Amino acid sequence: MQDRRDQWQARVAHINREIGRTGLAPLTWGNASGLDRATGELFIKPSGVPYAELTPNDIVILDLETLHVIQGDKRPSSDLRTHAALYRAFPRAGGIVHTHSHHATAWAQLSRPLPCLGTTHADHFAGDVPCTRALTPAEIEWDYTAATGSVITECFGDLDPADVPAAFVTQHGPFVWGPNPETALDNAVALEACCQMALLMMAAGAPLTPIDPALATFHFRRKHGPNATYGQP
């Protein structure tokens, strides 16, 4: 059992160091977690620890349902309850990345969904990436991070969170997920690139015209699902 935990701690520590190395989260403005669905154990970055100093032993292990600490002597990320809410609501999520990357955060501060404008977006997200409503003062006062998870899950009434594995929290930043921590990181990188391209289009005065639906569907299916043809078998 401890070997399994050690492996998860190493994976989650690596992903957190990567969000720092890639510039997705300046200072300590972000966090990554992983969930071992077989055991119900959640692995998450400790609060405020610089990415470059992070070791596998620093990763805090908690029970997903109770959020009681199983292993670790550091305070878990302040976004813990948001991560937990998403894992509980999205049963195919096995990794979550939250960043304050420049372009994705700028888009979140616009408080609007990101339309699918090209094939780069369509390769990763099957449609617009939604943006949450604003939290009410009562929600902020009640439990800010749990409420943040709730407003994200509200966006997915008609959307499959496995097909659109990201959302913007209005005036805050992006939360991105995947079936494992590594894919969640890839999706965070892709979302940042898509936001950068959209903002460049806006700066050039170009209309944000959505991609042709047939082309978008082709690109998404080429990389996802049982008939995907992208990559090696």
Side-chain angles (χ1 to χ4, degrees), residues 185-209:
L185 176 66
D186 287 347
N187 289 336
V189 171
L191 183 64
E192 171 66 5
C194 290
C195 291
Q196 182 179 21
M197 287 183 277
L199 291 167
L200 286 170
M201 290 174 67
M202 292 172 67
L208 299 185
T209 304

Side-chain angles (χ1 to χ4, degrees), residues 2-233:
Q2 189 57 49
D3 286 347
R4 186 185 186 98
R5 289 174 176 166
D6 291 346
Q7 291 171 5
W8 271 96
Q9 285 180 303
R11 290 174 70 186
V12 173
H14 172 69
I15 297 302
N16 276 285
R17 289 194 297 268
E18 284 296 288
I19 66 176
R21 185 189 65 81
T22 58
L24 288 175
L27 301 178
T28 56
W29 298 351
N31 42 73
S33 69
L35 178 65
D36 185 344
R37 289 276 177 190
T39 64
E41 293 181 349
L42 190 163
F43 298 75
I44 197 166
K45 180 186 182 293
S47 180
V49 176
Y51 303 107
E53 299 175 12
L54 196 65
T55 70
N57 286 337
D58 291 325
I59 299 300
V60 185
I61 310 174
L62 306 100
D63 177 82
L64 174 62
E65 292 308 315
T66 65
L67 295 186
H68 289 160
V69 174
I70 295 170
Q71 186 174 308
D73 57 4
K74 291 182 170 60
R75 181 183 298 170
S77 167
S78 58
D79 291 309
L80 168 64
R81 292 186 181 276
T82 305
H83 287 244
L86 297 181
Y87 284 128
R88 291 166 184 161
F90 302 157
R92 293 167 66 184
I96 295 171
V97 171
H98 169 52
T99 75
H100 282 254
S101 57
H102 294 160
H103 300 93
T105 301
W107 197 271
Q109 291 174 179
L110 290 172
S111 300
R112 57 193 289 189
L114 178 69
C116 183
L117 303 172
T119 61
T120 306
H121 182 129
D123 280 341
H124 294 272
F125 309 104
D128 297 358
V129 176
C131 184
T132 71
R133 63 172 174 84
L135 293 171
T136 67
E139 287 171 327
I140 293 169
E141 185 66 25
W142 164 67
D143 189 329
Y144 173 69
T145 55
T148 298
S150 294
V151 295
I152 293 172
T153 59
E154 280 179 16
C155 295
F156 287 87
D158 297 323
L159 286 175
D160 186 341
D163 287 346
V164 185
F168 301 101
V169 178
T170 188
Q171 300 174 347
H172 183 169
F175 279 83
V176 186
W177 51 89
N180 50 61
E182 294 79 11
T183 304
L185 176 66
D186 287 347
N187 289 336
V189 171
L191 183 64
E192 171 66 5
C194 290
C195 291
Q196 182 179 21
M197 287 183 277
L199 291 167
L200 286 170
M201 290 174 67
M202 292 172 67
L208 299 185
T209 304
I211 188 175
D212 178 86
L215 183 58
T217 299
F218 173 84
H219 266 264
F220 187 78
R221 289 180 177 171
R222 188 174 67 164
K223 295 191 72 170
H224 304 273
N227 298 317
T229 59
Y230 181 86
Q232 300 303 312

